[in-house]
Every structure is written in structure tokens, then in C-alpha cells.
Amino acid sequence: MITPMLKSRPLLWGIAVVGLIVSTAGISAGVANGGMSGPAWFVAGVAGVAGAAAAVMAALRPVFVKVVEAGVDRSMKQSDAARELRDRLGGPKGKFPRVSDIRDRALRYGVQRAIPLDHVEADGLSADLPRYLPRTIDDQIRSALTARSATGGMVIVKGNSTWGKSRTMFEAVSQVLGGWVIVAPSNANDLRALVESGLTLRQTVIWLDELADFLAGVDPLTRDVVQRAVDKGAIVVGTIWKDAFASLTEPPKKSSGNGAVRLEHDSGTVDDLAETRAILTATYADLIEMPGALDDDESTVASALAKQDSRWAHALAGAGELSPIQVLAAAPQLLHRFRSPDDETGGVVLNTAVALLAMEHPRPVPADLIRRVAQPAIPPTLELDSDRWFDKALAWATRPVRGTIAPLQPYRSDGGEDDRAFVAPDVLVSAALEDGRMQDQVNLDLTLTHATPEACAAIGSFFYFRDEDDVAEPFLRRAAECGVVRAFSRYAYVLSAQEDRAREAEAWYLKAVEAGDIGASFDLGYLLADKEGRTADAEAWYLKAVEAGNTVALFNLGVLAVNDGRVEDAEMWYRKAMDAGDRDASISLGVLLGDQEGRLGEARELLAEAADAENPRALYTLGYLAGREGRAEESEELLRKAADLGSIEALVNLGGLLGQMEGRDGEAEECFRRAVDHGIVEAMMGLGFVLSDQEGRTDEAEEWLRKAADTGDLDAMVGLGTLLFDQEGRAKESDEWYRKAIEAGDPDALTFFGDALKEQRRYSEARPILEQAIAGGDPYAMRMMGELDLLEGHREAGRTWLRKAASLGVKRAGEIVGDEFDEDPPAAE
């Protein structure tokens, strides 16, 4: 009890004051009793100090007592919490075991149970685990663990189900960190409690098998908790499926912008995974990929192990399309029982349980939920025993397929029959995901009704990340309305994607912020900017997100500044985002500088590093800039590289570049058609223009321009109007498309329409249209007006307009000024 008391600064000062008072009082008493000698002034002084100290002590006594009591209370609570944590997560007597002491208990740490031995074999073979097959990545894992052992860190092994991730990690940890203690939190809350418990974590392995469960659960792990564990000297080790890693680190969902042809900036990003991405890509984390198949060296060693351990002999002989590692985990037998059940009722129960786990229902799944969801799926031809049907089905589903390996496995529980819960091997969960739509495998309505709010949040999040918002919404709504904080912002996002529900979304984002969800400030800023155009409010929320440590918000502040025309502010925010490690920010800054006079050199320098790393956006941007400067060959090369790396924007721009070159319409058409397959409107329009220049393909051109125009694209409307204008007898249709574009707010449409009317000698109609365009500041409309005046015989007025257009850089306007009509201009119709 003394040690924690002394760690408290108020207690330390209190004890010092008491000590001073006691000492002073002792000296005073000694002098007064003759036990100490000294001059009278000293005795009087000491007596005075003692009296004053006694008075102060009397006044401070209640405060001191409260401080001491509060410190003791805090210490006792922390001690009790630490003891409870050790009892729950530790071994016998509430102690965390050492790694070297748990070899026979490795199954508790996610290592798969293996098929049984044929008979009692040589000494040293474990009944649960076959002899370990050294893997080619062992040295890589061990080196990472060794390097991180000095300062703390994180080591992650990525690979698919039953590839041997957990066993490989376990063997490496045993070899390198055998003397360390090991603790396996059940969820993110356990890890958070461990970090906050006050327990020393120096030389502690924190084992997070199935890391995705900790990162994407109802109350997911945050970078702060992991960082604090690392700072305390712990090594966090974890395994994760490849697909889960990809979905948790993919770029944030972006709004659909119109940036395929022109260089534009996205209006924002919804980055629900910023915390997760920060953990998985942190500088303190080593990511090591587990190969799915054995290489030649591993196969040779496995053959040698087969002579010592019959399980390896079975694994090598029965692999087929599966890997020997999967055969060791009885994957063939498990999959056969799952996909070809010989008990129809048991098959439904097993399918239901596995589907719920595949939908990321928190492990384990309660038996009562399995029963309620499975019962309506039982074919009506089967007569169910109302009392025993479920127990019989469970008995079939939990019967081992080989040794002790079963499709459904009871989860340890301290309760009775009503508290039963089950888990399934990963190979079956993976198979359910591969089979496809969860909606067809399990009754979602019953799941929604009977699952806990926390489970609804997890299931809703599963569909949310699969972009199946219509399925996710009711689960997230129930979780949110029941107060599951993590569901607030996800439910808000689903609402924000629907027409006229932005206000509801805003309200839920605000609830998330109030509940302490730091990521919701960022999401709210995105909603206000993208859906409601409230950029000032959005900027305020982005700033709050930055204060909370969200560095992605720095990038979005730059985007807002660009959209508002605040170039200097945009540059400042992009540079701050770059300093925070945002690589996209350097590309966006390159784009920004490339649009500024005299800063192309800086732009290229910023983009060059990303382009060398084959970043498609950087290559695309450099290609665009080269094309703008007239360096067509360089532009084509860069755009092709970007297009080959998957940049649809580059593909469209390449089509536009090739379409301007003599004799390359066929290549341009190919580029546009590839982009059209991705639904890009600009590609439809570009394809229409390319086809319109080719003999006999006007109908095809019209078809594609009409498709683009029907989406509301203003440039396509103008292009369609121009195409129809050139066709005899279709002037009325042409007018209609020009007017649609004008009504939709396209200022260029005024100039094109005015020019078309001029060419049709409809001078009286052309003049007011061109006047509107001129009022909007279009210098090309000035040229058209000058030509119109010349055609109508107003030579001086025409020359005035042409001179104005020429002074603003309009080509040919200056040449026309000097032209004289050799004959009278065409008369107006």
C-alpha cells in the first residue's frame, strides 16, 4: 500500500508537511522539557513555529485526510482492477504465464487443433499439435520480434484461413521471447483495461489472434491504446486474414466527383477506418505475409517430418487442391460436413451458426440465437420435436469429423444450458464468405430481432463495409438507438447516402461526437461539405478533427480551400498533411502548383517521387501537365503508364490526347470504350466526339452523346446540340439541347448556341443569346458578336468587338478585324 501512496504527488507533499510539523513539535517539546539546550530566542521561535504548525495542521487536517483517503481509494481500485484482470486473462493464481510455460496450451492462443495421431508414436509428439514445419518466413518474424524487443512494437502475420499463421507466430514468439509473459485479451476493451491497469508491460507479449476482431468490432481498438502498450515496452503480435487486411486498409470512401477529364479535387473523404489504418500501417508495426503454399524446401522438410509424425503423412497424401496445412486442420472433412450434410436439420443449424460468424457476429454465438434464426429455415417436410430437435441438431453439428475437430465447438461458459455458445473453425467461416450472399444463408429479420444491440452493430458494420447499405441500415439503426456508440457514425453515414436524409445523418454524427467518437468530427465535416454545401461549418468540424489527432482532416481542409479559391490556405494545409505523412497530399499539392503560373518546376518535383513509385495519380497528373505544355509524346507515355496501373482518369485523358492527333482515332476510341465500361460519363462524351469525326458513324456518335447528356452532363448536352445542328432538318432538336444546357447553368452553352444561330442566319435570335454570354464574361462570345455585326453590316461595331476579343487572347479575332467581305454578307433569314 505504501508504494502507490508515494507515487501520488499530493500525498507526498502531505507527508512532507506532516513530517515538518512533527519534527518542529518534537524540537519544541525537547527544548521546553530541558532535553535540548539553546538560546531563549531559539526556544521561543521553535515554540512559535510549533504553535503555528499545530494551527495549520488543525486547519488542513480535513483536507489532508480527504487527499489521503482519495489516494488510497484510487490505489485500491486500481489494484482491484489489476487483480480482476489477472484473474480473468491470466493463468492459475491470477498470474500471466511465461511464453515458455504454455507450449501445451497453445490451442488457447488460436493455434488450430490438428488431426489425431494414428497410434501412440515416438516420445515428444503432442496429441494436439504435429511437429512444427519450419517456414521460410520464420527468420523474418524472428528478426522483427528481436528488433522490437528493445523498445516495444507490433508484429503482424497476414494470410488466409488455415495457412498456419498462428502456429508460425507462436513458434517464433516461443523461440525469441520465451522468458516474456504472455497475455491474450478477449477483445479491445480487455486490452484497453490492461494498458490502463497500471501493470508493468515491460517484456510482455500481447497476443491478438484474429486481429480483425479487435479492429472492426463494436468498440474497436484505437491507435492510442496500441501506442501506449508499445510505449510501455510490450510487443503486440497478431494474425489477420488477407481479405480483412485489405478491407481495413483500403482508401476511404470518396464522393463521386467529376474529375475524370479535368484536374479537380474530391470534395472530401469519409474515413471511418482512419484509426484502424493508422494501427496497421504504423511505423512501430512489422507486417509479414504468410505464403499459402509450401515451397520446395518446406515440402522436402515436410516429407521428412512425415516419417516421424503420421499426421504429416496424411497431410501430404490428402492435400489435393488444399494445402497440407489445411489438411492438418481437417479442412476437407469440415468442408464436406458443412456443404454436404447428412442430417438436414443439423445442416441448417450449422449453416446458420457459421453464417452468423461470417457476418462478424461477436464470438461466440449464443445457442438461443442460433435456434431462433435456424428454426424457420427447417424444411416443413421435417417434423420437429418441439423439445429436442435443436439439441439433436447440435449434437450432429458438434460431433467431431476427425479426432476432436468438430464443425461447431462449444465455447467455455460458466453458465448452464441457457448460456451455451458456439464458435466454428475459420475454414468454414471463410467458405461461407466465398459462397456469397449472407442474406440468402440466414434469416436477417430474425437475426435483427433476437441479436443483442452489440451484435447488431457488428453485423451492420459487416454489411456497411461491403457497401450493402440497405442491409446494414436496420442493424445499425437498432444498435444506435440502443446506445452502441460505434454504430452512431456508421448509421449516420448510411443515412447521408440517401436522398433528403442529411439532417438525420447530421444529428447522429453530433450524438457520436458528444459520446466521444473522435472520428465523427471528420465525418460530420464531410457531410456538411459534400451534401449540404455548408463549407464554413465543415471547416470548423475538420479543425476539431485535427485537434483530436485526425491527420486526414488536414488534407480535406486543403480541398475545401481549393474549392473556395483560397490557394495559399490550400497550400498550407496540404503541406501540413504532407508533414503528417499523407502521401496523397504531395500529389494534390503538385496539382495545385501545376495550375499556378511559374510553379511547374515545384509541381513536377513533388510529383516525381510518387511517379517513380508508380503512383497512378501522380503519373496521370504529370501526363496532364506535359500535355498542357504541348509535350504530347511525354504526355502520352505518362498517361499510358497511369492507365495501365488502373487510372480511369488517365485513360480518358489519353483518349482525348489521341483524338487530337492525326490518324489515331482508332486508339482514342479504344481508350474511351475501356473507360465507358466503368460508367465514366466523360468517356461516353469523348467517344461520341471521336465517332462524330468519322465518316458514316454519326448515328453511333449521337447514341453516346445522348447517353452522356441524359446523365445531366452539360458538356454532352452542348456536344449533342452541335452534332444535331450539322444534320439537315434537326435544328429544332439542336435548339432544345442547347437550351437545356443553358437552363442548367452552363455559360459555354450560350456562346455555342449563339454561334449556331449565327451560322443558321438567325441573326435576331443569336444577338440576345450572345449578349448574355458577353455579360457572363466570355471573350469568345465577343468574337461571335463581332462576326455577327460584320455579317449585318455593322462594320465599326464588329471591329470593336473583335479587337476586345483579340486583346483577351481569342485566336483569329485579330485576323478577322482586317478582313473585308468581297461580296455582301449573307442575308438574315
mmCIF file of all heavy atoms in Angstrom, residues 756-794:
data_model
loop_
_atom_site.group_PDB
_atom_site.id
_atom_site.type_symbol
_atom_site.label_atom_id
_atom_site.label_comp_id
_atom_site.label_asym_id
_atom_site.label_seq_id
_atom_site.Cartn_x
_atom_site.Cartn_y
_atom_site.Cartn_z
ATOM 1 N N ALA A 756 -24.266 28.876 -83.259
ATOM 2 C CA ALA A 756 -25.087 28.035 -84.134
ATOM 3 C C ALA A 756 -26.196 28.853 -84.793
ATOM 4 O O ALA A 756 -26.477 28.709 -85.999
ATOM 5 C CB ALA A 756 -25.683 26.885 -83.323
ATOM 6 N N LEU A 757 -26.838 29.720 -84.027
ATOM 7 C CA LEU A 757 -27.893 30.556 -84.587
ATOM 8 C C LEU A 757 -27.340 31.504 -85.642
ATOM 9 O O LEU A 757 -27.971 31.766 -86.686
ATOM 10 C CB LEU A 757 -28.576 31.353 -83.469
ATOM 11 C CG LEU A 757 -29.386 30.526 -82.448
ATOM 12 C CD1 LEU A 757 -29.820 31.395 -81.277
ATOM 13 C CD2 LEU A 757 -30.610 29.900 -83.119
ATOM 14 N N LYS A 758 -26.135 32.027 -85.396
ATOM 15 C CA LYS A 758 -25.488 32.905 -86.370
ATOM 16 C C LYS A 758 -25.242 32.166 -87.677
ATOM 17 O O LYS A 758 -25.496 32.685 -88.775
ATOM 18 C CB LYS A 758 -24.185 33.438 -85.786
ATOM 19 C CG LYS A 758 -23.313 34.238 -86.761
ATOM 20 C CD LYS A 758 -22.094 34.798 -86.074
ATOM 21 C CE LYS A 758 -21.129 33.720 -85.627
ATOM 22 N NZ LYS A 758 -20.494 33.002 -86.761
ATOM 23 N N GLU A 759 -24.733 30.918 -87.555
ATOM 24 C CA GLU A 759 -24.437 30.138 -88.744
ATOM 25 C C GLU A 759 -25.711 29.799 -89.532
ATOM 26 O O GLU A 759 -25.672 29.612 -90.750
ATOM 27 C CB GLU A 759 -23.717 28.839 -88.351
ATOM 28 C CG GLU A 759 -22.314 29.044 -87.814
ATOM 29 C CD GLU A 759 -21.383 29.652 -88.835
ATOM 30 O OE1 GLU A 759 -21.417 29.218 -90.014
ATOM 31 O OE2 GLU A 759 -20.640 30.587 -88.480
ATOM 32 N N GLN A 760 -26.826 29.717 -88.827
ATOM 33 C CA GLN A 760 -28.105 29.439 -89.493
ATOM 34 C C GLN A 760 -28.775 30.724 -90.000
ATOM 35 O O GLN A 760 -29.911 30.679 -90.464
ATOM 36 C CB GLN A 760 -29.055 28.721 -88.513
ATOM 37 C CG GLN A 760 -28.622 27.307 -88.143
ATOM 38 C CD GLN A 760 -29.510 26.690 -87.063
ATOM 39 O OE1 GLN A 760 -30.163 27.396 -86.285
ATOM 40 N NE2 GLN A 760 -29.534 25.371 -87.013
ATOM 41 N N ARG A 761 -28.048 31.857 -89.883
ATOM 42 C CA ARG A 761 -28.534 33.179 -90.314
ATOM 43 C C ARG A 761 -29.761 33.619 -89.523
ATOM 44 O O ARG A 761 -30.556 34.428 -90.001
ATOM 45 C CB ARG A 761 -28.864 33.171 -91.813
ATOM 46 C CG ARG A 761 -27.706 32.768 -92.696
ATOM 47 C CD ARG A 761 -28.066 32.827 -94.153
ATOM 48 N NE ARG A 761 -27.005 32.257 -94.998
ATOM 49 C CZ ARG A 761 -27.068 32.193 -96.331
ATOM 50 N NH1 ARG A 761 -28.132 32.663 -96.973
ATOM 51 N NH2 ARG A 761 -26.087 31.649 -97.008
ATOM 52 N N ARG A 762 -29.861 33.115 -88.308
ATOM 53 C CA ARG A 762 -30.959 33.526 -87.432
ATOM 54 C C ARG A 762 -30.410 34.628 -86.516
ATOM 55 O O ARG A 762 -30.291 34.500 -85.312
ATOM 56 C CB ARG A 762 -31.471 32.325 -86.633
ATOM 57 C CG ARG A 762 -32.082 31.242 -87.517
ATOM 58 C CD ARG A 762 -32.136 29.883 -86.854
ATOM 59 N NE ARG A 762 -32.960 29.836 -85.657
ATOM 60 C CZ ARG A 762 -33.085 28.757 -84.874
ATOM 61 N NH1 ARG A 762 -32.425 27.647 -85.204
ATOM 62 N NH2 ARG A 762 -33.841 28.797 -83.805
ATOM 63 N N TYR A 763 -30.061 35.737 -87.202
ATOM 64 C CA TYR A 763 -29.307 36.810 -86.545
ATOM 65 C C TYR A 763 -30.061 37.431 -85.370
ATOM 66 O O TYR A 763 -29.479 37.720 -84.320
ATOM 67 C CB TYR A 763 -28.944 37.899 -87.548
ATOM 68 C CG TYR A 763 -28.082 37.425 -88.703
ATOM 69 C CD1 TYR A 763 -28.118 38.080 -89.933
ATOM 70 C CD2 TYR A 763 -27.226 36.333 -88.559
ATOM 71 C CE1 TYR A 763 -27.322 37.667 -91.005
ATOM 72 C CE2 TYR A 763 -26.431 35.906 -89.614
ATOM 73 C CZ TYR A 763 -26.496 36.570 -90.835
ATOM 74 O OH TYR A 763 -25.722 36.148 -91.888
ATOM 75 N N SER A 764 -31.346 37.650 -85.511
ATOM 76 C CA SER A 764 -32.115 38.318 -84.458
ATOM 77 C C SER A 764 -32.206 37.447 -83.204
ATOM 78 O O SER A 764 -32.287 37.965 -82.085
ATOM 79 C CB SER A 764 -33.522 38.650 -84.961
ATOM 80 O OG SER A 764 -34.211 37.456 -85.327
ATOM 81 N N GLU A 765 -32.172 36.113 -83.378
ATOM 82 C CA GLU A 765 -32.186 35.215 -82.215
ATOM 83 C C GLU A 765 -30.787 35.091 -81.611
ATOM 84 O O GLU A 765 -30.628 34.936 -80.389
ATOM 85 C CB GLU A 765 -32.672 33.827 -82.625
ATOM 86 C CG GLU A 765 -34.115 33.765 -83.095
ATOM 87 C CD GLU A 765 -34.475 32.372 -83.591
ATOM 88 O OE1 GLU A 765 -34.617 31.470 -82.732
ATOM 89 O OE2 GLU A 765 -34.596 32.181 -84.807
ATOM 90 N N ALA A 766 -29.774 35.164 -82.463
ATOM 91 C CA ALA A 766 -28.410 34.986 -81.984
ATOM 92 C C ALA A 766 -27.959 36.140 -81.102
ATOM 93 O O ALA A 766 -27.242 35.933 -80.112
ATOM 94 C CB ALA A 766 -27.463 34.835 -83.168
ATOM 95 N N ARG A 767 -28.377 37.375 -81.457
ATOM 96 C CA ARG A 767 -27.853 38.552 -80.755
ATOM 97 C C ARG A 767 -28.150 38.523 -79.260
ATOM 98 O O ARG A 767 -27.220 38.690 -78.443
ATOM 99 C CB ARG A 767 -28.395 39.822 -81.403
ATOM 100 C CG ARG A 767 -27.784 41.104 -80.808
ATOM 101 C CD ARG A 767 -28.178 42.329 -81.617
ATOM 102 N NE ARG A 767 -27.605 42.281 -82.961
ATOM 103 C CZ ARG A 767 -26.355 42.647 -83.243
ATOM 104 N NH1 ARG A 767 -25.552 43.071 -82.263
ATOM 105 N NH2 ARG A 767 -25.904 42.599 -84.470
ATOM 106 N N PRO A 768 -29.379 38.317 -78.775
ATOM 107 C CA PRO A 768 -29.604 38.329 -77.319
ATOM 108 C C PRO A 768 -28.887 37.186 -76.589
ATOM 109 O O PRO A 768 -28.474 37.339 -75.438
ATOM 110 C CB PRO A 768 -31.136 38.195 -77.191
ATOM 111 C CG PRO A 768 -31.601 37.643 -78.493
ATOM 112 C CD PRO A 768 -30.655 38.171 -79.520
ATOM 113 N N ILE A 769 -28.723 36.057 -77.300
ATOM 114 C CA ILE A 769 -28.008 34.934 -76.668
ATOM 115 C C ILE A 769 -26.545 35.313 -76.453
ATOM 116 O O ILE A 769 -25.969 35.080 -75.376
ATOM 117 C CB ILE A 769 -28.115 33.671 -77.549
ATOM 118 C CG1 ILE A 769 -29.568 33.209 -77.661
ATOM 119 C CG2 ILE A 769 -27.235 32.554 -76.998
ATOM 120 C CD1 ILE A 769 -30.156 32.725 -76.366
ATOM 121 N N LEU A 770 -25.928 35.914 -77.493
ATOM 122 C CA LEU A 770 -24.521 36.309 -77.371
ATOM 123 C C LEU A 770 -24.343 37.439 -76.365
ATOM 124 O O LEU A 770 -23.315 37.498 -75.674
ATOM 125 C CB LEU A 770 -23.976 36.708 -78.739
ATOM 126 C CG LEU A 770 -23.809 35.549 -79.736
ATOM 127 C CD1 LEU A 770 -23.437 36.092 -81.123
ATOM 128 C CD2 LEU A 770 -22.752 34.565 -79.253
ATOM 129 N N GLU A 771 -25.323 38.293 -76.260
ATOM 130 C CA GLU A 771 -25.241 39.370 -75.263
ATOM 131 C C GLU A 771 -25.202 38.790 -73.844
ATOM 132 O O GLU A 771 -24.477 39.282 -72.981
ATOM 133 C CB GLU A 771 -26.442 40.317 -75.432
ATOM 134 C CG GLU A 771 -26.330 41.231 -76.647
ATOM 135 C CD GLU A 771 -27.587 42.065 -76.867
ATOM 136 O OE1 GLU A 771 -28.602 41.763 -76.193
ATOM 137 O OE2 GLU A 771 -27.564 42.971 -77.700
ATOM 138 N N GLN A 772 -25.997 37.741 -73.628
ATOM 139 C CA GLN A 772 -25.960 37.080 -72.305
ATOM 140 C C GLN A 772 -24.586 36.479 -72.027
ATOM 141 O O GLN A 772 -24.070 36.559 -70.915
ATOM 142 C CB GLN A 772 -27.008 35.966 -72.246
ATOM 143 C CG GLN A 772 -28.452 36.426 -72.163
ATOM 144 C CD GLN A 772 -29.373 35.229 -72.005
ATOM 145 O OE1 GLN A 772 -29.276 34.467 -71.048
ATOM 146 N NE2 GLN A 772 -30.290 35.059 -72.954
ATOM 147 N N ALA A 773 -24.002 35.856 -73.065
ATOM 148 C CA ALA A 773 -22.690 35.244 -72.895
ATOM 149 C C ALA A 773 -21.628 36.298 -72.602
ATOM 150 O O ALA A 773 -20.739 36.085 -71.764
ATOM 151 C CB ALA A 773 -22.321 34.442 -74.135
ATOM 152 N N ILE A 774 -21.715 37.432 -73.299
ATOM 153 C CA ILE A 774 -20.754 38.525 -73.075
ATOM 154 C C ILE A 774 -20.906 39.078 -71.662
ATOM 155 O O ILE A 774 -19.918 39.356 -70.965
ATOM 156 C CB ILE A 774 -20.938 39.635 -74.123
ATOM 157 C CG1 ILE A 774 -20.490 39.129 -75.496
ATOM 158 C CG2 ILE A 774 -20.162 40.892 -73.733
ATOM 159 C CD1 ILE A 774 -20.832 40.069 -76.640
ATOM 160 N N ALA A 775 -22.163 39.199 -71.211
ATOM 161 C CA ALA A 775 -22.411 39.687 -69.848
ATOM 162 C C ALA A 775 -21.792 38.742 -68.815
ATOM 163 O O ALA A 775 -21.397 39.171 -67.731
ATOM 164 C CB ALA A 775 -23.910 39.824 -69.605
ATOM 165 N N GLY A 776 -21.680 37.467 -69.181
ATOM 166 C CA GLY A 776 -21.057 36.498 -68.296
ATOM 167 C C GLY A 776 -19.548 36.493 -68.381
ATOM 168 O O GLY A 776 -18.880 35.718 -67.700
ATOM 169 N N GLY A 777 -18.959 37.333 -69.272
ATOM 170 C CA GLY A 777 -17.514 37.486 -69.357
ATOM 171 C C GLY A 777 -16.824 36.560 -70.334
ATOM 172 O O GLY A 777 -15.607 36.382 -70.241
ATOM 173 N N ASP A 778 -17.546 35.954 -71.290
ATOM 174 C CA ASP A 778 -16.925 35.027 -72.238
ATOM 175 C C ASP A 778 -16.328 35.799 -73.417
ATOM 176 O O ASP A 778 -17.067 36.368 -74.230
ATOM 177 C CB ASP A 778 -17.967 34.029 -72.744
ATOM 178 C CG ASP A 778 -17.336 32.914 -73.583
ATOM 179 O OD1 ASP A 778 -16.163 33.046 -73.965
ATOM 180 O OD2 ASP A 778 -18.035 31.923 -73.857
ATOM 181 N N PRO A 779 -14.980 35.825 -73.547
ATOM 182 C CA PRO A 779 -14.376 36.582 -74.647
ATOM 183 C C PRO A 779 -14.678 35.966 -76.023
ATOM 184 O O PRO A 779 -14.677 36.674 -77.026
ATOM 185 C CB PRO A 779 -12.877 36.520 -74.327
ATOM 186 C CG PRO A 779 -12.712 35.313 -73.462
ATOM 187 C CD PRO A 779 -13.967 35.207 -72.679
ATOM 188 N N TYR A 780 -14.936 34.660 -76.068
ATOM 189 C CA TYR A 780 -15.269 34.034 -77.347
ATOM 190 C C TYR A 780 -16.608 34.530 -77.863
ATOM 191 O O TYR A 780 -16.827 34.640 -79.076
ATOM 192 C CB TYR A 780 -15.274 32.504 -77.197
ATOM 193 C CG TYR A 780 -13.896 31.943 -76.993
ATOM 194 C CD1 TYR A 780 -13.396 31.715 -75.712
ATOM 195 C CD2 TYR A 780 -13.080 31.671 -78.084
ATOM 196 C CE1 TYR A 780 -12.118 31.226 -75.520
ATOM 197 C CE2 TYR A 780 -11.789 31.171 -77.899
ATOM 198 C CZ TYR A 780 -11.314 30.951 -76.614
ATOM 199 O OH TYR A 780 -10.039 30.471 -76.436
ATOM 200 N N ALA A 781 -17.518 34.849 -76.945
ATOM 201 C CA ALA A 781 -18.804 35.421 -77.358
ATOM 202 C C ALA A 781 -18.599 36.793 -77.986
ATOM 203 O O ALA A 781 -19.351 37.203 -78.880
ATOM 204 C CB ALA A 781 -19.738 35.517 -76.164
ATOM 205 N N MET A 782 -17.542 37.521 -77.546
ATOM 206 C CA MET A 782 -17.236 38.822 -78.157
ATOM 207 C C MET A 782 -16.846 38.642 -79.613
ATOM 208 O O MET A 782 -17.230 39.413 -80.486
ATOM 209 C CB MET A 782 -16.104 39.503 -77.373
ATOM 210 C CG MET A 782 -16.438 39.827 -75.935
ATOM 211 S SD MET A 782 -15.003 40.541 -75.062
ATOM 212 C CE MET A 782 -15.653 40.641 -73.395
ATOM 213 N N ARG A 783 -16.057 37.602 -79.870
ATOM 214 C CA ARG A 783 -15.676 37.328 -81.256
ATOM 215 C C ARG A 783 -16.912 37.007 -82.097
ATOM 216 O O ARG A 783 -17.064 37.488 -83.218
ATOM 217 C CB ARG A 783 -14.692 36.159 -81.298
ATOM 218 C CG ARG A 783 -14.417 35.658 -82.714
ATOM 219 C CD ARG A 783 -13.528 34.430 -82.716
ATOM 220 N NE ARG A 783 -13.797 33.593 -83.876
ATOM 221 C CZ ARG A 783 -13.222 32.426 -84.108
ATOM 222 N NH1 ARG A 783 -12.348 31.949 -83.244
ATOM 223 N NH2 ARG A 783 -13.533 31.726 -85.161
ATOM 224 N N MET A 784 -17.808 36.145 -81.552
ATOM 225 C CA MET A 784 -19.025 35.784 -82.287
ATOM 226 C C MET A 784 -19.885 37.016 -82.554
ATOM 227 O O MET A 784 -20.463 37.175 -83.629
ATOM 228 C CB MET A 784 -19.837 34.751 -81.491
ATOM 229 C CG MET A 784 -19.082 33.475 -81.158
ATOM 230 S SD MET A 784 -18.424 32.642 -82.610
ATOM 231 C CE MET A 784 -17.424 31.372 -81.825
ATOM 232 N N MET A 785 -19.961 37.902 -81.563
ATOM 233 C CA MET A 785 -20.753 39.131 -81.740
ATOM 234 C C MET A 785 -20.120 40.015 -82.794
ATOM 235 O O MET A 785 -20.831 40.634 -83.613
ATOM 236 C CB MET A 785 -20.865 39.884 -80.410
ATOM 237 C CG MET A 785 -21.753 41.126 -80.489
ATOM 238 S SD MET A 785 -23.487 40.744 -80.809
ATOM 239 C CE MET A 785 -24.025 40.390 -79.132
ATOM 240 N N GLY A 786 -18.793 40.082 -82.796
ATOM 241 C CA GLY A 786 -18.121 40.869 -83.833
ATOM 242 C C GLY A 786 -18.418 40.321 -85.216
ATOM 243 O O GLY A 786 -18.701 41.078 -86.161
ATOM 244 N N GLU A 787 -18.376 38.997 -85.365
ATOM 245 C CA GLU A 787 -18.689 38.386 -86.665
ATOM 246 C C GLU A 787 -20.138 38.667 -87.055
ATOM 247 O O GLU A 787 -20.446 38.926 -88.220
ATOM 248 C CB GLU A 787 -18.439 36.875 -86.596
ATOM 249 C CG GLU A 787 -16.969 36.506 -86.439
ATOM 250 C CD GLU A 787 -16.781 34.999 -86.282
ATOM 251 O OE1 GLU A 787 -17.802 34.279 -86.249
ATOM 252 O OE2 GLU A 787 -15.622 34.552 -86.172
ATOM 253 N N LEU A 788 -21.037 38.604 -86.037
ATOM 254 C CA LEU A 788 -22.451 38.874 -86.317
ATOM 255 C C LEU A 788 -22.647 40.309 -86.799
ATOM 256 O O LEU A 788 -23.379 40.555 -87.770
ATOM 257 C CB LEU A 788 -23.270 38.613 -85.047
ATOM 258 C CG LEU A 788 -24.779 38.917 -85.143
ATOM 259 C CD1 LEU A 788 -25.425 38.057 -86.220
ATOM 260 C CD2 LEU A 788 -25.446 38.691 -83.793
ATOM 261 N N ASP A 789 -21.983 41.273 -86.145
ATOM 262 C CA ASP A 789 -22.102 42.673 -86.574
ATOM 263 C C ASP A 789 -21.583 42.856 -87.986
ATOM 264 O O ASP A 789 -22.179 43.581 -88.798
ATOM 265 C CB ASP A 789 -21.355 43.589 -85.595
ATOM 266 C CG ASP A 789 -22.180 43.904 -84.358
ATOM 267 O OD1 ASP A 789 -23.418 43.883 -84.463
ATOM 268 O OD2 ASP A 789 -21.593 44.151 -83.296
ATOM 269 N N LEU A 790 -20.461 42.203 -88.312
ATOM 270 C CA LEU A 790 -19.929 42.303 -89.670
ATOM 271 C C LEU A 790 -20.913 41.726 -90.684
ATOM 272 O O LEU A 790 -21.118 42.288 -91.770
ATOM 273 C CB LEU A 790 -18.592 41.575 -89.773
ATOM 274 C CG LEU A 790 -17.400 42.213 -89.037
ATOM 275 C CD1 LEU A 790 -16.170 41.328 -89.180
ATOM 276 C CD2 LEU A 790 -17.102 43.605 -89.587
ATOM 277 N N LEU A 791 -21.534 40.607 -90.309
ATOM 278 C CA LEU A 791 -22.496 39.978 -91.208
ATOM 279 C C LEU A 791 -23.715 40.871 -91.436
ATOM 280 O O LEU A 791 -24.323 40.864 -92.516
ATOM 281 C CB LEU A 791 -22.943 38.621 -90.656
ATOM 282 C CG LEU A 791 -21.895 37.508 -90.689
ATOM 283 C CD1 LEU A 791 -22.346 36.312 -89.878
ATOM 284 C CD2 LEU A 791 -21.631 37.094 -92.131
ATOM 285 N N GLU A 792 -24.064 41.632 -90.419
ATOM 286 C CA GLU A 792 -25.232 42.505 -90.543
ATOM 287 C C GLU A 792 -24.862 43.896 -91.055
ATOM 288 O O GLU A 792 -25.717 44.781 -91.136
ATOM 289 C CB GLU A 792 -25.945 42.622 -89.196
ATOM 290 C CG GLU A 792 -26.634 41.337 -88.775
ATOM 291 C CD GLU A 792 -27.568 41.519 -87.586
ATOM 292 O OE1 GLU A 792 -27.136 42.052 -86.554
ATOM 293 O OE2 GLU A 792 -28.738 41.130 -87.714
ATOM 294 N N GLY A 793 -23.571 44.072 -91.401
ATOM 295 C CA GLY A 793 -23.152 45.338 -91.983
ATOM 296 C C GLY A 793 -22.730 46.387 -90.976
ATOM 297 O O GLY A 793 -22.421 47.519 -91.369
ATOM 298 N N HIS A 794 -22.676 46.028 -89.702
ATOM 299 C CA HIS A 794 -22.249 46.990 -88.679
ATOM 300 C C HIS A 794 -20.745 46.847 -88.498
ATOM 301 O O HIS A 794 -20.248 46.297 -87.514
ATOM 302 C CB HIS A 794 -22.974 46.728 -87.357
ATOM 303 C CG HIS A 794 -24.464 46.606 -87.482
ATOM 304 N ND1 HIS A 794 -25.247 47.591 -88.050
ATOM 305 C CD2 HIS A 794 -25.317 45.591 -87.121
ATOM 306 C CE1 HIS A 794 -26.517 47.205 -88.024
ATOM 307 N NE2 HIS A 794 -26.574 45.973 -87.469
#
